[in-house]
Amino acid sequence: MPAMPVTRPPTRFAYLGPEGTFAESALVSAVAAEEGTRQPAPSVAAALAAVRAGDADAALVPMENSVEGSVPATMDGLADGDPLLITREVFMPVGFVLAARPGTQLADVRSVASHPHALAQTARRLTELLPGIVPLPATSTAEAARQVAAGELDAAVCAPIAARRYRLDVLVDEVADRSGAVTRFVLVAPPGPLPEPTGNDKTSLVAVVGDRTGALLELLGEFGVRGISLTRIESRPTRERLGAYSFSLDCEGHVGDARVGEALAALHRVCDDVRFLGSYPRADGRENKPVTDVSTDAAFAEASTWLARVRAGRP
């Protein structure tokens, strides 16, 4: 029997840059400096492309925010292109400051920029602070801070780490409309051995259902009949034609669990396409719902044994 290939832990990590983003903070919290190097990428697409091209071993990118929802660039980037697998998730509290070059007063600000998600989370407060000024989108909160430091803009809505990194003064602290926001980041890598089941895992995938009545109900039913809870589901256009959608979802459990594996096999049968995005430890502080007696791996194994006896003529 051939030996299994030796898999080395990632040592080159890409993240949504430039330096000073929440993505960098999340990566710092998840991967110690001695575990590898960190390289900023100008966009989510560039971070994922670095992994696909072999220029990075893994990439940390934002998946969803508790206030503004999913990040389309990440969802679409994982659904298309060469397969990548999520190996872990990281939850990062996010708070914003309004920052400007030293000596700038609030009354001096004529332009402000940030990432669209950050602008959406601070829209009401910015209107109060800077009436009549239309905020400009940037590829990241840190990029907006960099532009301010370079004199291209007057102010940025950014993370405190970005204000320090680019030596900006904080004009207003805590500018979010709603406090307590959290962003979920995912670490993705090329396909390889999956993390071992921990008993409190998530599985992510993208499924394309057919254009027929009841197709989505069929998809949901494969989870429901096996007692598997979905923690997230949302639709995205396939971009092939109007009305054709894929569904990005997370469910409780690991593909190594009998019930989750059977559900994914069933989806492969009833859906037009299924892309497995990984099974990894759950990191949101919640526990998977208890598995009923009829949904345990032991129950599935017993049912398979019974079926084998029936097929062998020994009911």
Side-chain angles (χ1 to χ4, degrees):
M1 182 176 178
M4 291 293 291
V6 176
T7 58
R8 296 178 176 83
T11 59
R12 300 173 301 158
F13 297 90
Y15 66 90
L16 174 60
E19 295 180 349
T21 58
F22 289 109
E24 184 188 21
S25 295
L27 183 58
V28 168
S29 73
V31 180
E34 61 270 18
E35 293 183 54
T37 59
R38 298 188 288 265
Q39 54 193 70
S43 64
V44 168
L48 298 180
V51 179
R52 288 181 168 123
D55 297 326
D57 302 321
L60 189 118
V61 291
M63 186 73 169
E64 59 178 324
N65 177 267
S66 61
V67 176
E68 285 304 305
S70 63
V71 179
T74 300
M75 293 178 63
D76 294 342
L78 294 177
D80 299 330
D82 293 337
L84 295 173
L85 293 183
I86 299 171
T87 60
R88 66 183 297 182
E89 61 180 6
V90 181
F91 287 78
M92 174 64 58
V94 293
F96 303 102
V97 299
L98 183 66
R101 289 183 299 282
T104 303
Q105 303 297 314
L106 190 61
D108 301 328
V109 175
R110 295 293 179 268
S111 59
V112 61
S114 192
H115 186 274
H117 266 214
L119 294 178
Q121 293 178 63
T122 58
R124 185 174 67 247
R125 189 80 175 105
L126 286 180
T127 300
E128 295 170 356
L129 293 169
L130 303 169
I133 294 178
V134 178
L136 302 172
T139 55
S140 71
T141 55
E143 172 59 18
R146 186 202 65 77
Q147 291 177 348
V148 172
E152 300 167 16
L153 296 165
D154 294 333
V157 173
C158 62
I161 186 178
R164 293 191 297 269
R165 184 67 56 86
Y166 293 97
R167 300 180 180 179
L168 303 178
D169 285 351
V170 174
L171 299 181
V172 183
D173 207 350
E174 296 294 332
V175 294
D177 296 339
R178 185 187 297 267
S179 62
V182 175
T183 295
R184 174 193 177 207
F185 294 86
V186 292
L187 188 68
V188 300
L194 302 178
E196 290 294 323
T198 66
N200 196 46
D201 303 294
K202 280 183 185 175
T203 291
S204 297
L205 58 97
V206 175
V208 180
V209 299
D211 186 11
R212 63 182 186 280
T213 302
L216 177 57
L217 182 60
E218 270 188 323
L219 181 151
L220 298 176
E222 300 298 347
F223 294 99
V225 298
R226 294 172 177 85
I228 301 170
S229 295
L230 298 182
T231 60
R232 180 185 65 89
I233 180 170
E234 50 193 301
S235 63
R236 292 290 299 162
T238 61
R239 292 175 286 184
E240 293 178 357
R241 58 183 174 80
L242 189 64
Y245 290 90
S246 64
F247 290 90
S248 174
L249 59 89
D250 301 330
C251 71
E252 293 184 347
H254 192 284
V255 70
D257 300 337
R259 63 195 182 114
V260 177
E262 188 175 285
L264 266 60
L267 292 183
H268 182 74
R269 176 175 54 83
V270 303
C271 294
D272 288 358
D273 188 33
V274 177
R275 172 169 285 204
F276 174 69
L277 296 181
S279 290
Y280 46 91
R282 190 167 186 168
D284 56 5
R286 298 182 180 181
E287 296 293 325
N288 285 353
K289 294 178 176 61
V291 179
T292 62
D293 290 343
V294 298
S295 298
T296 62
D297 275 10
F300 274 84
E302 194 279 330
S304 295
T305 300
W306 173 82
L307 181 59
R309 290 201 311 269
V310 169
R311 286 172 170 169
R314 297 182 285 105

